[in-house]
Amino acid sequence: MIRKFKPSDTDHLMNIWDKAEALAHPFLPAEVRAQVRMDIRDIYLPNAEVWVIEDQGAPVGFIAMIDREIGGLFLDPSCHGKGLGRQLVDHIVTLKGPLTVEVFKDNQIGLTFYQRYGFEITGEGIFDATGDETFKMAMPAL
């Protein structure tokens, strides 16, 4: 089931983020990861459009949207490869149409997911906090 975020989800989603982020972004320095964690908890979850996917009544992942850009998509690693990330993106595409996302070039999990979904690289960027390179990606127009 996919539903809107509730403030009572925060601790559960942060636990998911901790596990998933460690796999996706091991190249980021610990202090940067700590700052991003605080920003997710204190800024993005309360202010972005966040959707939660549940399995057997418990949250197992979430997607945070800023307009039509995916600000973050994280699944509990035990749920990778089960189609839940695709379900979240499908849900948002139904609501908003074609989406964009920015992914670290070194994030092979995210990059592979978005390419399989059909996102195309449209440009490059830099993560200001570390200088890590990113790909800007977009879905083709429907």
Side-chain angles (χ1 to χ4, degrees):
M1 175 177 106
I2 297 174
R3 62 170 174 77
K4 283 205 168 222
F5 166 79
K6 300 179 289 194
S8 59
D9 293 324
T10 300
D11 288 341
H12 214 112
L13 298 188
M14 292 310 302
N15 185 40
I16 291 166
W17 184 86
D18 287 336
K19 292 186 271 185
E21 190 277 338
L23 287 177
H25 308 136
F27 49 87
L28 292 177
E31 63 275 6
V32 171
R33 293 166 74 182
Q35 181 62 55
V36 171
R37 187 183 197 285
M38 285 192 328
D39 292 347
I40 296 279
R41 180 181 195 85
D42 300 336
I43 298 170
Y44 296 106
L45 288 179
N47 296 301
E49 178 185 348
V50 179
W51 293 86
V52 176
I53 191 163
E54 294 181 340
D55 184 34
Q56 299 181 351
V60 294
F62 65 98
I63 189 169
M65 299 298 303
I66 303 163
D67 193 26
R68 291 178 51 203
E69 181 174 1
I70 299 171
L73 172 59
F74 294 94
L75 290 174
D76 187 296
S78 69
C79 295
H80 286 185
K82 296 181 179 180
L84 300 177
R86 178 171 283 278
Q87 287 179 38
L88 279 168
V89 175
D90 287 348
H91 179 74
I92 301 301
V93 169
T94 300
L95 298 174
K96 298 181 177 280
L99 307 174
T100 63
V101 68
E102 190 166 1
V103 180
F104 287 107
K105 286 184 179 182
D106 290 335
N107 177 356
Q108 289 306 304
I109 294 170
L111 190 56
T112 299
F113 170 81
Y114 290 115
Q115 287 175 321
R116 281 187 187 152
Y117 194 96
F119 283 74
E120 298 170 350
I121 296 170
T122 59
E124 297 184 4
I126 297 288
F127 183 56
D128 290 338
T130 62
D132 284 280
E133 296 176 324
T134 62
F135 285 126
K136 297 174 189 278
M137 303 179 79
M139 298 175 74
L142 298 176

